[in-house]
Amino acid sequence: MHAGRRTTKWLWLWRSNPLRRHEDVLEAWLVLVVWTIIAVGGTLAGVVTAHAADSVFAQQRAERIPVAAVLVSDTTQPGAKSYYRALAKVSWTLPDGSSRTGNTLVDTGLKAGSHIVVYTDRQGELSTQPPSRSAADMEAAVLGTTAGLGVTGLALGAGALARVRLDRRRFRQWGSEWAMVGPKWGHKTG
């Protein structure tokens, strides 16, 4: 019986009540819809986004090929600031035997003629290194969480805006009803 009381209290906005207004019912449904959107929509957006990101990262790992390359220029420049990576010219050979050159970021401190690994796309053009499986999983999780939180934020914001509009409408109605009932309440003291 105690659980029945709690359920009745929780569902008070839907039961018959002479003091219940149309706006109260709208607000109850609004809260239900907002929380449903948060639970279902936020979860769905997060899962779909994480899955899509994971697919893109898997495709990048499949399409980008590691290729042995040779540095054409040094990565140390006299008088320059010491950075972790520097832009340098590299040369690599494609599987068909043709040779290509291009500029890419490589570790600093390497001399011309050093052997490095670069990544190319299927056309043999330089590309960035694809994310590792663990890095891709982490980034997909972050993107999925961000998408879920974005849907949650939008739902909460839209719900709050709708509740503000309902409150303004209730205040106007209370003001007009008080203007009609207030003078009938009798005498003034003093």
Side-chain angles (χ1 to χ4, degrees):
M1 182 162 172
H2 195 22
R5 277 185 173 167
R6 268 190 273 148
T7 304
T8 304
K9 266 187 168 178
W10 186 70
L11 296 173
W12 73 271
L13 290 173
W14 278 285
R15 69 174 194 228
S16 180
N17 181 342
L19 298 177
R20 181 187 69 188
R21 297 170 186 252
H22 178 67
E23 286 77 15
D24 298 333
V25 174
L26 286 176
E27 183 176 19
W29 281 106
L30 175 69
V31 169
L32 181 65
V33 167
V34 166
W35 283 107
T36 302
I37 290 171
I38 289 171
V40 176
T43 302
L44 187 63
V47 168
V48 167
T49 301
H51 180 67
D54 194 42
S55 296
V56 168
F57 296 140
Q59 182 180 2
Q60 287 176 354
R61 282 192 302 277
E63 291 178 349
R64 295 181 185 172
I65 305 159
V67 176
V70 177
L71 274 176
V72 176
S73 61
D74 292 343
T75 59
T76 56
Q77 299 166 349
K81 291 182 180 178
S82 177
Y83 293 108
Y84 173 67
R85 298 184 54 88
L87 191 63
K89 191 171 205 170
V90 295
S91 174
W92 68 98
T93 304
L94 296 176
D96 66 2
S98 61
S99 182
R100 297 238 179 129
T101 58
N103 292 322
T104 189
L105 287 175
V106 297
D107 293 336
T108 58
L110 298 175
K111 300 281 185 196
S114 298
H115 293 279
I116 61 167
V117 174
V118 295
Y119 286 84
T120 61
D121 58 17
R122 292 193 176 172
Q123 290 76 28
E125 297 297 323
L126 284 174
S127 182
T128 58
Q129 180 177 354
S132 67
R133 181 72 187 152
S134 59
D137 288 344
M138 180 62 75
E139 193 166 345
V142 168
L143 290 171
T145 302
T146 302
L149 290 174
V151 169
T152 298
L154 287 173
L156 287 174
L161 181 63
R163 287 182 77 179
V164 164
R165 296 189 81 193
L166 284 172
D167 285 344
R168 286 181 183 167
R169 190 170 162 184
R170 272 191 284 248
F171 290 147
R172 281 194 305 270
Q173 287 176 348
W174 288 336
S176 64
E177 289 173 6
W178 183 252
M180 289 187 317
V181 174
K184 296 179 184 176
W185 273 41
H187 67 287
K188 296 184 178 179
T189 59

